Amino acid sequence: MSEGGLGPAAAACLFPPLGALVDGAGGVVLFARDIQSPEQLAELTASLPGLLIAVDEEGGDVTRLEAATGSSFPGNLALGAVDDTTLTRRVASAIGGELAAVGVNFDLAPVADVIVDPANPIVGVRSFGSDPALASRHVAAFVEGLQSVGVAACAKHFPGHGESLADSHLELPAVETDRETLFARALQPFASAVEVGVRAVMTAHIRFAALDDRAATVSA
């Protein structure tokens, strides 16, 4: 087990059972419009017992808890530039601590995409960088830091939104990157996340021609 990681017994104590249901629901995702203050958020989450309660809290440009003022934490590209995995682990742990304090137990982070073209409208500064090895070690550190305080991590956007220049919120991007390059470049950080026990992986709504004719979100 990597430093800062959790064994199965510890994970079972910290994380809610994935099958826990309340009135047929397994979980909810909260957005900035749902959050007015820490006190209000804690009251809201307390009214949702047994659920996975998720937010996008990446640090840097993407924050829900501090949407009005901007995140207090550095984003991934800044952490990648410093290239100190201990710092990345500490930042993730601090983010997780703030989430846990208000009852959020599932963070839709970290971004595990590798920057292929800086013009990418989705990834950009949300990535740790353009070097797959660097991105891999910081994704692993972020996952470990977040999950060390009992908040489940979610590596995204599998198998790699950095391979596309289109915005998948607006269209279905098609990626023609060959299979060998995908495995060498895009998939490394996701493999690192899995190796340290990441609790979830978010797919990208992108068609990767080397893998399937369908978008990753609906691809077996």
Side-chain angles (χ1 to χ4, degrees):
M1 182 173 66
S2 299
E3 180 185 355
L6 292 173
C13 294
L14 288 169
F15 300 116
L18 295 181
L21 300 178
V22 175
D23 294 331
V28 296
V29 179
L30 303 179
F31 296 91
R33 61 177 178 268
D34 302 308
I35 301 169
Q36 285 81 51
S37 68
E39 296 75 18
Q40 170 268 333
L41 180 55
E43 183 177 349
L44 173 61
T45 58
S47 72
L48 302 169
L51 296 183
L52 287 171
I53 300 173
V55 297
D56 288 276
E57 196 68 31
E58 299 173 8
D61 281 2
V62 178
T63 175
R64 301 294 181 251
L65 299 187
E66 300 181 278
T69 58
S71 178
S72 302
F73 299 99
N76 288 353
L77 193 62
L79 291 171
V82 175
D83 196 13
D84 180 344
T85 54
T86 298
L87 175 62
T88 296
R89 193 176 290 107
R90 290 176 59 192
V91 167
S93 177
I95 290 173
E98 294 201 356
L99 293 174
V102 291
V104 175
N105 52 30
F106 188 15
D107 190 8
L108 303 177
V111 169
D113 302 316
V114 174
I115 297 173
V116 176
D117 189 323
N120 184 298
I122 295 295
V123 180
V125 297
R126 298 169 66 197
S127 168
F128 287 107
S130 57
D131 176 10
L134 179 146
S136 295
R137 59 180 174 265
H138 286 277
V139 165
F142 197 104
V143 169
E144 290 174 335
L146 199 58
Q147 296 190 167
S148 72
V149 294
V151 175
C154 178
K156 61 187 185 185
H157 309 82
F158 180 81
H161 211 313
E163 299 293 322
S164 167
L165 282 178
D167 186 341
S168 59
H169 296 104
L170 305 175
E171 59 183 293
L172 177 61
V175 168
E176 302 300 328
T177 307
D178 65 84
R179 188 183 182 92
E180 183 177 333
T181 302
L182 279 175
F183 274 76
R185 181 169 64 195
L187 294 182
Q188 276 194 43
F190 293 98
S192 294
V194 170
E195 286 170 5
V196 297
V198 70
R199 298 286 287 181
V201 174
M202 181 191 296
T203 53
H205 193 61
I206 298 174
R207 185 178 69 83
F208 294 83
L211 303 178
D212 200 343
D213 290 331
R214 295 168 292 181
T217 43
V218 293
S219 170

